Amino acid sequence: MIGRLSGILLEKNPPQLLVDVGGVGYEVDVPMSTFYNLPGVGEKVVLFTHQAIREDAHLLFGFGNAEERAVFRQLIKITGVGARTALSILSGMSIADLAQAVTLQEAGRLVKVPGIGKKTAERLLLELKGKLGADIGAGGVAAVPDAKSDILNALLALGYSDKEALLALKTVPAGATVSDGIKQALKALSKG
């Protein structure tokens, strides 16, 4: 198995890269989260990889860090979720957002990712519960108190993106009631 590549970035064509490692060019598919953090063409790049061998193809998937690769591997273990769908999920939301959605059992956030329907989202939540949310929650990323969860859901229901809602949520003081928190978050969003 190829677990890591270190070489020169030759081409960037989302979502695929061409990395020269010792004179051999490797085509690597990456999620957009990794793609946006890549150095420029001609510069040195290090990617954690997952190699998938199928009857008709040998595919290499690259990630900016080991945590992202671990989440990818968890995702592809789920029935109905292939490598392309897993890349789409990691491109559509951060690992912290995914962990939060799993912890709070919010299928609506997963359905927003292209290629994820309601049934697949529910299966993801069921299969990842206790695996993904708990692991990352232990690091303090996914744990959200009830009032903040309600405020977040209200902002999402109003049509704000996950990113906008989470940024606005940071402006809400700890211990705020749901109604006060929503008002505070909406004020923060109107200023931005």
Side-chain angles (χ1 to χ4, degrees), residues 63-93:
F63 307 93
N65 57 55
E67 184 183 27
E68 202 170 38
R69 178 179 65 181
V71 171
F72 174 83
R73 288 177 171 169
Q74 281 289 336
L75 289 169
I76 60 174
K77 288 179 186 176
I78 298 169
T79 307
V81 177
R84 298 282 176 222
T85 305
L87 276 185
S88 182
I89 292 167
L90 290 173
S91 293
M93 60 194 326

PDB file of all heavy atoms in Angstrom, residues 63-93:
ATOM      1  N   PHE A  63      -4.637  13.238   1.094  1.00  0.00           N
ATOM      2  CA  PHE A  63      -5.205  14.073   2.156  1.00  0.00           C
ATOM      3  C   PHE A  63      -4.099  14.890   2.804  1.00  0.00           C
ATOM      4  O   PHE A  63      -2.964  14.446   2.921  1.00  0.00           O
ATOM      5  CB  PHE A  63      -5.895  13.195   3.204  1.00  0.00           C
ATOM      6  CG  PHE A  63      -6.900  12.258   2.582  1.00  0.00           C
ATOM      7  CD1 PHE A  63      -6.539  10.976   2.226  1.00  0.00           C
ATOM      8  CD2 PHE A  63      -8.177  12.698   2.288  1.00  0.00           C
ATOM      9  CE1 PHE A  63      -7.441  10.123   1.597  1.00  0.00           C
ATOM     10  CE2 PHE A  63      -9.089  11.860   1.669  1.00  0.00           C
ATOM     11  CZ  PHE A  63      -8.716  10.571   1.322  1.00  0.00           C
ATOM     12  N   GLY A  64      -4.466  16.078   3.255  1.00  0.00           N
ATOM     13  CA  GLY A  64      -3.504  16.980   3.878  1.00  0.00           C
ATOM     14  C   GLY A  64      -3.038  16.540   5.248  1.00  0.00           C
ATOM     15  O   GLY A  64      -1.968  16.923   5.696  1.00  0.00           O
ATOM     16  N   ASN A  65      -3.850  15.720   5.931  1.00  0.00           N
ATOM     17  CA  ASN A  65      -3.448  15.235   7.256  1.00  0.00           C
ATOM     18  C   ASN A  65      -4.006  13.836   7.499  1.00  0.00           C
ATOM     19  O   ASN A  65      -4.899  13.374   6.786  1.00  0.00           O
ATOM     20  CB  ASN A  65      -3.883  16.209   8.353  1.00  0.00           C
ATOM     21  CG  ASN A  65      -5.376  16.467   8.348  1.00  0.00           C
ATOM     22  OD1 ASN A  65      -6.184  15.543   8.425  1.00  0.00           O
ATOM     23  ND2 ASN A  65      -5.756  17.730   8.263  1.00  0.00           N
ATOM     24  N   ALA A  66      -3.456  13.173   8.500  1.00  0.00           N
ATOM     25  CA  ALA A  66      -3.840  11.788   8.797  1.00  0.00           C
ATOM     26  C   ALA A  66      -5.277  11.692   9.301  1.00  0.00           C
ATOM     27  O   ALA A  66      -5.956  10.690   9.047  1.00  0.00           O
ATOM     28  CB  ALA A  66      -2.878  11.195   9.825  1.00  0.00           C
ATOM     29  N   GLU A  67      -5.759  12.734   9.985  1.00  0.00           N
ATOM     30  CA  GLU A  67      -7.130  12.715  10.500  1.00  0.00           C
ATOM     31  C   GLU A  67      -8.144  12.670   9.360  1.00  0.00           C
ATOM     32  O   GLU A  67      -9.112  11.921   9.404  1.00  0.00           O
ATOM     33  CB  GLU A  67      -7.379  13.947  11.380  1.00  0.00           C
ATOM     34  CG  GLU A  67      -8.753  13.953  12.025  1.00  0.00           C
ATOM     35  CD  GLU A  67      -9.020  15.212  12.830  1.00  0.00           C
ATOM     36  OE1 GLU A  67      -8.440  16.271  12.517  1.00  0.00           O
ATOM     37  OE2 GLU A  67      -9.833  15.134  13.765  1.00  0.00           O
ATOM     38  N   GLU A  68      -7.889  13.448   8.320  1.00  0.00           N
ATOM     39  CA  GLU A  68      -8.787  13.471   7.164  1.00  0.00           C
ATOM     40  C   GLU A  68      -8.813  12.103   6.473  1.00  0.00           C
ATOM     41  O   GLU A  68      -9.858  11.618   6.069  1.00  0.00           O
ATOM     42  CB  GLU A  68      -8.329  14.572   6.198  1.00  0.00           C
ATOM     43  CG  GLU A  68      -9.402  15.054   5.259  1.00  0.00           C
ATOM     44  CD  GLU A  68      -8.988  16.295   4.493  1.00  0.00           C
ATOM     45  OE1 GLU A  68      -7.808  16.416   4.093  1.00  0.00           O
ATOM     46  OE2 GLU A  68      -9.851  17.151   4.292  1.00  0.00           O
ATOM     47  N   ARG A  69      -7.642  11.483   6.371  1.00  0.00           N
ATOM     48  CA  ARG A  69      -7.569  10.145   5.771  1.00  0.00           C
ATOM     49  C   ARG A  69      -8.326   9.136   6.625  1.00  0.00           C
ATOM     50  O   ARG A  69      -9.033   8.272   6.095  1.00  0.00           O
ATOM     51  CB  ARG A  69      -6.108   9.716   5.594  1.00  0.00           C
ATOM     52  CG  ARG A  69      -5.986   8.301   5.012  1.00  0.00           C
ATOM     53  CD  ARG A  69      -4.561   7.876   4.808  1.00  0.00           C
ATOM     54  NE  ARG A  69      -3.850   7.772   6.071  1.00  0.00           N
ATOM     55  CZ  ARG A  69      -2.577   7.429   6.167  1.00  0.00           C
ATOM     56  NH1 ARG A  69      -1.862   7.184   5.089  1.00  0.00           N
ATOM     57  NH2 ARG A  69      -1.996   7.346   7.349  1.00  0.00           N
ATOM     58  N   ALA A  70      -8.217   9.237   7.939  1.00  0.00           N
ATOM     59  CA  ALA A  70      -8.920   8.313   8.841  1.00  0.00           C
ATOM     60  C   ALA A  70     -10.435   8.452   8.683  1.00  0.00           C
ATOM     61  O   ALA A  70     -11.156   7.447   8.662  1.00  0.00           O
ATOM     62  CB  ALA A  70      -8.505   8.569  10.289  1.00  0.00           C
ATOM     63  N   VAL A  71     -10.922   9.682   8.557  1.00  0.00           N
ATOM     64  CA  VAL A  71     -12.357   9.907   8.365  1.00  0.00           C
ATOM     65  C   VAL A  71     -12.796   9.340   7.009  1.00  0.00           C
ATOM     66  O   VAL A  71     -13.833   8.699   6.901  1.00  0.00           O
ATOM     67  CB  VAL A  71     -12.711  11.410   8.483  1.00  0.00           C
ATOM     68  CG1 VAL A  71     -14.153  11.672   8.075  1.00  0.00           C
ATOM     69  CG2 VAL A  71     -12.471  11.885   9.911  1.00  0.00           C
ATOM     70  N   PHE A  72     -11.983   9.546   5.978  1.00  0.00           N
ATOM     71  CA  PHE A  72     -12.266   8.986   4.654  1.00  0.00           C
ATOM     72  C   PHE A  72     -12.409   7.465   4.751  1.00  0.00           C
ATOM     73  O   PHE A  72     -13.349   6.882   4.206  1.00  0.00           O
ATOM     74  CB  PHE A  72     -11.135   9.365   3.688  1.00  0.00           C
ATOM     75  CG  PHE A  72     -11.239   8.740   2.322  1.00  0.00           C
ATOM     76  CD1 PHE A  72     -12.040   9.303   1.345  1.00  0.00           C
ATOM     77  CD2 PHE A  72     -10.513   7.595   2.008  1.00  0.00           C
ATOM     78  CE1 PHE A  72     -12.127   8.736   0.077  1.00  0.00           C
ATOM     79  CE2 PHE A  72     -10.596   7.021   0.748  1.00  0.00           C
ATOM     80  CZ  PHE A  72     -11.399   7.592  -0.216  1.00  0.00           C
ATOM     81  N   ARG A  73     -11.489   6.838   5.459  1.00  0.00           N
ATOM     82  CA  ARG A  73     -11.533   5.375   5.608  1.00  0.00           C
ATOM     83  C   ARG A  73     -12.765   4.922   6.371  1.00  0.00           C
ATOM     84  O   ARG A  73     -13.324   3.874   6.076  1.00  0.00           O
ATOM     85  CB  ARG A  73     -10.249   4.873   6.264  1.00  0.00           C
ATOM     86  CG  ARG A  73      -9.056   4.960   5.325  1.00  0.00           C
ATOM     87  CD  ARG A  73      -7.754   4.540   5.982  1.00  0.00           C
ATOM     88  NE  ARG A  73      -6.689   4.448   4.984  1.00  0.00           N
ATOM     89  CZ  ARG A  73      -5.414   4.317   5.288  1.00  0.00           C
ATOM     90  NH1 ARG A  73      -5.022   4.256   6.553  1.00  0.00           N
ATOM     91  NH2 ARG A  73      -4.504   4.240   4.324  1.00  0.00           N
ATOM     92  N   GLN A  74     -13.192   5.699   7.357  1.00  0.00           N
ATOM     93  CA  GLN A  74     -14.438   5.380   8.075  1.00  0.00           C
ATOM     94  C   GLN A  74     -15.632   5.479   7.131  1.00  0.00           C
ATOM     95  O   GLN A  74     -16.532   4.654   7.152  1.00  0.00           O
ATOM     96  CB  GLN A  74     -14.658   6.345   9.249  1.00  0.00           C
ATOM     97  CG  GLN A  74     -13.855   6.055  10.482  1.00  0.00           C
ATOM     98  CD  GLN A  74     -14.342   4.817  11.205  1.00  0.00           C
ATOM     99  OE1 GLN A  74     -15.491   4.409  11.092  1.00  0.00           O
ATOM    100  NE2 GLN A  74     -13.453   4.205  11.949  1.00  0.00           N
ATOM    101  N   LEU A  75     -15.638   6.508   6.302  1.00  0.00           N
ATOM    102  CA  LEU A  75     -16.757   6.746   5.385  1.00  0.00           C
ATOM    103  C   LEU A  75     -16.903   5.638   4.354  1.00  0.00           C
ATOM    104  O   LEU A  75     -18.008   5.184   4.076  1.00  0.00           O
ATOM    105  CB  LEU A  75     -16.603   8.100   4.681  1.00  0.00           C
ATOM    106  CG  LEU A  75     -16.811   9.341   5.541  1.00  0.00           C
ATOM    107  CD1 LEU A  75     -16.373  10.596   4.792  1.00  0.00           C
ATOM    108  CD2 LEU A  75     -18.254   9.463   5.990  1.00  0.00           C
ATOM    109  N   ILE A  76     -15.779   5.173   3.783  1.00  0.00           N
ATOM    110  CA  ILE A  76     -15.888   4.178   2.715  1.00  0.00           C
ATOM    111  C   ILE A  76     -16.249   2.790   3.240  1.00  0.00           C
ATOM    112  O   ILE A  76     -16.603   1.918   2.454  1.00  0.00           O
ATOM    113  CB  ILE A  76     -14.618   4.108   1.823  1.00  0.00           C
ATOM    114  CG1 ILE A  76     -13.383   3.731   2.638  1.00  0.00           C
ATOM    115  CG2 ILE A  76     -14.438   5.403   1.062  1.00  0.00           C
ATOM    116  CD1 ILE A  76     -12.135   3.513   1.796  1.00  0.00           C
ATOM    117  N   LYS A  77     -16.212   2.596   4.550  1.00  0.00           N
ATOM    118  CA  LYS A  77     -16.660   1.327   5.144  1.00  0.00           C
ATOM    119  C   LYS A  77     -18.182   1.221   5.152  1.00  0.00           C
ATOM    120  O   LYS A  77     -18.734   0.141   5.307  1.00  0.00           O
ATOM    121  CB  LYS A  77     -16.157   1.197   6.587  1.00  0.00           C
ATOM    122  CG  LYS A  77     -14.679   0.943   6.704  1.00  0.00           C
ATOM    123  CD  LYS A  77     -14.279   0.860   8.176  1.00  0.00           C
ATOM    124  CE  LYS A  77     -12.776   0.756   8.330  1.00  0.00           C
ATOM    125  NZ  LYS A  77     -12.395   0.779   9.752  1.00  0.00           N
ATOM    126  N   ILE A  78     -18.866   2.346   4.990  1.00  0.00           N
ATOM    127  CA  ILE A  78     -20.327   2.379   5.077  1.00  0.00           C
ATOM    128  C   ILE A  78     -20.944   1.932   3.754  1.00  0.00           C
ATOM    129  O   ILE A  78     -20.538   2.386   2.687  1.00  0.00           O
ATOM    130  CB  ILE A  78     -20.803   3.805   5.452  1.00  0.00           C
ATOM    131  CG1 ILE A  78     -20.248   4.175   6.832  1.00  0.00           C
ATOM    132  CG2 ILE A  78     -22.321   3.900   5.429  1.00  0.00           C
ATOM    133  CD1 ILE A  78     -20.423   5.617   7.196  1.00  0.00           C
ATOM    134  N   THR A  79     -21.915   1.045   3.840  1.00  0.00           N
ATOM    135  CA  THR A  79     -22.609   0.547   2.656  1.00  0.00           C
ATOM    136  C   THR A  79     -23.222   1.707   1.874  1.00  0.00           C
ATOM    137  O   THR A  79     -23.888   2.559   2.451  1.00  0.00           O
ATOM    138  CB  THR A  79     -23.734  -0.431   3.068  1.00  0.00           C
ATOM    139  OG1 THR A  79     -23.171  -1.433   3.902  1.00  0.00           O
ATOM    140  CG2 THR A  79     -24.380  -1.057   1.854  1.00  0.00           C
ATOM    141  N   GLY A  80     -22.969   1.734   0.574  1.00  0.00           N
ATOM    142  CA  GLY A  80     -23.529   2.777  -0.271  1.00  0.00           C
ATOM    143  C   GLY A  80     -22.678   4.026  -0.373  1.00  0.00           C
ATOM    144  O   GLY A  80     -23.004   4.952  -1.100  1.00  0.00           O
ATOM    145  N   VAL A  81     -21.558   4.059   0.354  1.00  0.00           N
ATOM    146  CA  VAL A  81     -20.657   5.209   0.293  1.00  0.00           C
ATOM    147  C   VAL A  81     -19.338   4.745  -0.322  1.00  0.00           C
ATOM    148  O   VAL A  81     -18.582   4.009   0.298  1.00  0.00           O
ATOM    149  CB  VAL A  81     -20.397   5.821   1.689  1.00  0.00           C
ATOM    150  CG1 VAL A  81     -19.403   6.971   1.594  1.00  0.00           C
ATOM    151  CG2 VAL A  81     -21.691   6.291   2.317  1.00  0.00           C
ATOM    152  N   GLY A  82     -19.114   5.182  -1.546  1.00  0.00           N
ATOM    153  CA  GLY A  82     -17.862   4.848  -2.219  1.00  0.00           C
ATOM    154  C   GLY A  82     -16.842   5.951  -2.023  1.00  0.00           C
ATOM    155  O   GLY A  82     -17.092   6.940  -1.329  1.00  0.00           O
ATOM    156  N   ALA A  83     -15.710   5.787  -2.671  1.00  0.00           N
ATOM    157  CA  ALA A  83     -14.626   6.758  -2.536  1.00  0.00           C
ATOM    158  C   ALA A  83     -15.036   8.144  -3.043  1.00  0.00           C
ATOM    159  O   ALA A  83     -14.723   9.151  -2.415  1.00  0.00           O
ATOM    160  CB  ALA A  83     -13.393   6.260  -3.280  1.00  0.00           C
ATOM    161  N   ARG A  84     -15.751   8.194  -4.169  1.00  0.00           N
ATOM    162  CA  ARG A  84     -16.161   9.493  -4.725  1.00  0.00           C
ATOM    163  C   ARG A  84     -17.125  10.214  -3.782  1.00  0.00           C
ATOM    164  O   ARG A  84     -17.029  11.420  -3.579  1.00  0.00           O
ATOM    165  CB  ARG A  84     -16.823   9.317  -6.095  1.00  0.00           C
ATOM    166  CG  ARG A  84     -15.916   8.724  -7.130  1.00  0.00           C
ATOM    167  CD  ARG A  84     -14.955   9.742  -7.695  1.00  0.00           C
ATOM    168  NE  ARG A  84     -14.033   9.084  -8.617  1.00  0.00           N
ATOM    169  CZ  ARG A  84     -12.750   9.328  -8.663  1.00  0.00           C
ATOM    170  NH1 ARG A  84     -12.215  10.215  -7.863  1.00  0.00           N
ATOM    171  NH2 ARG A  84     -11.978   8.693  -9.505  1.00  0.00           N
ATOM    172  N   THR A  85     -18.062   9.457  -3.199  1.00  0.00           N
ATOM    173  CA  THR A  85     -19.014  10.056  -2.260  1.00  0.00           C
ATOM    174  C   THR A  85     -18.287  10.535  -1.009  1.00  0.00           C
ATOM    175  O   THR A  85     -18.563  11.620  -0.493  1.00  0.00           O
ATOM    176  CB  THR A  85     -20.119   9.047  -1.886  1.00  0.00           C
ATOM    177  OG1 THR A  85     -20.736   8.585  -3.080  1.00  0.00           O
ATOM    178  CG2 THR A  85     -21.163   9.671  -0.977  1.00  0.00           C
ATOM    179  N   ALA A  86     -17.335   9.747  -0.525  1.00  0.00           N
ATOM    180  CA  ALA A  86     -16.558  10.138   0.654  1.00  0.00           C
ATOM    181  C   ALA A  86     -15.770  11.418   0.374  1.00  0.00           C
ATOM    182  O   ALA A  86     -15.713  12.314   1.222  1.00  0.00           O
ATOM    183  CB  ALA A  86     -15.619   9.006   1.075  1.00  0.00           C
ATOM    184  N   LEU A  87     -15.181  11.522  -0.825  1.00  0.00           N
ATOM    185  CA  LEU A  87     -14.468  12.756  -1.197  1.00  0.00           C
ATOM    186  C   LEU A  87     -15.426  13.933  -1.248  1.00  0.00           C
ATOM    187  O   LEU A  87     -15.094  15.033  -0.813  1.00  0.00           O
ATOM    188  CB  LEU A  87     -13.794  12.608  -2.565  1.00  0.00           C
ATOM    189  CG  LEU A  87     -12.434  11.942  -2.629  1.00  0.00           C
ATOM    190  CD1 LEU A  87     -11.876  12.009  -4.047  1.00  0.00           C
ATOM    191  CD2 LEU A  87     -11.448  12.530  -1.658  1.00  0.00           C
ATOM    192  N   SER A  88     -16.620  13.687  -1.763  1.00  0.00           N
ATOM    193  CA  SER A  88     -17.634  14.739  -1.847  1.00  0.00           C
ATOM    194  C   SER A  88     -18.020  15.234  -0.454  1.00  0.00           C
ATOM    195  O   SER A  88     -18.164  16.439  -0.224  1.00  0.00           O
ATOM    196  CB  SER A  88     -18.857  14.205  -2.589  1.00  0.00           C
ATOM    197  OG  SER A  88     -19.823  15.201  -2.727  1.00  0.00           O
ATOM    198  N   ILE A  89     -18.163  14.308   0.492  1.00  0.00           N
ATOM    199  CA  ILE A  89     -18.505  14.681   1.869  1.00  0.00           C
ATOM    200  C   ILE A  89     -17.392  15.530   2.475  1.00  0.00           C
ATOM    201  O   ILE A  89     -17.641  16.579   3.069  1.00  0.00           O
ATOM    202  CB  ILE A  89     -18.772  13.429   2.735  1.00  0.00           C
ATOM    203  CG1 ILE A  89     -20.050  12.726   2.265  1.00  0.00           C
ATOM    204  CG2 ILE A  89     -18.862  13.789   4.217  1.00  0.00           C
ATOM    205  CD1 ILE A  89     -20.240  11.331   2.846  1.00  0.00           C
ATOM    206  N   LEU A  90     -16.135  15.080   2.312  1.00  0.00           N
ATOM    207  CA  LEU A  90     -15.009  15.825   2.874  1.00  0.00           C
ATOM    208  C   LEU A  90     -14.789  17.160   2.164  1.00  0.00           C
ATOM    209  O   LEU A  90     -14.237  18.089   2.742  1.00  0.00           O
ATOM    210  CB  LEU A  90     -13.735  14.981   2.827  1.00  0.00           C
ATOM    211  CG  LEU A  90     -13.720  13.790   3.784  1.00  0.00           C
ATOM    212  CD1 LEU A  90     -12.495  12.921   3.548  1.00  0.00           C
ATOM    213  CD2 LEU A  90     -13.776  14.247   5.234  1.00  0.00           C
ATOM    214  N   SER A  91     -15.234  17.256   0.909  1.00  0.00           N
ATOM    215  CA  SER A  91     -15.141  18.524   0.185  1.00  0.00           C
ATOM    216  C   SER A  91     -16.244  19.478   0.625  1.00  0.00           C
ATOM    217  O   SER A  91     -16.066  20.689   0.635  1.00  0.00           O
ATOM    218  CB  SER A  91     -15.259  18.291  -1.323  1.00  0.00           C
ATOM    219  OG  SER A  91     -14.146  17.575  -1.804  1.00  0.00           O
ATOM    220  N   GLY A  92     -17.413  18.909   0.988  1.00  0.00           N
ATOM    221  CA  GLY A  92     -18.577  19.714   1.322  1.00  0.00           C
ATOM    222  C   GLY A  92     -18.631  20.216   2.747  1.00  0.00           C
ATOM    223  O   GLY A  92     -19.340  21.175   3.043  1.00  0.00           O
ATOM    224  N   MET A  93     -17.916  19.564   3.652  1.00  0.00           N
ATOM    225  CA  MET A  93     -17.928  20.006   5.047  1.00  0.00           C
ATOM    226  C   MET A  93     -16.635  19.604   5.747  1.00  0.00           C
ATOM    227  O   MET A  93     -16.010  18.619   5.377  1.00  0.00           O
ATOM    228  CB  MET A  93     -19.165  19.465   5.781  1.00  0.00           C
ATOM    229  CG  MET A  93     -19.295  17.982   5.825  1.00  0.00           C
ATOM    230  SD  MET A  93     -20.929  17.319   6.323  1.00  0.00           S
ATOM    231  CE  MET A  93     -21.578  18.435   7.481  1.00  0.00           C
TER     232      MET A  93
END
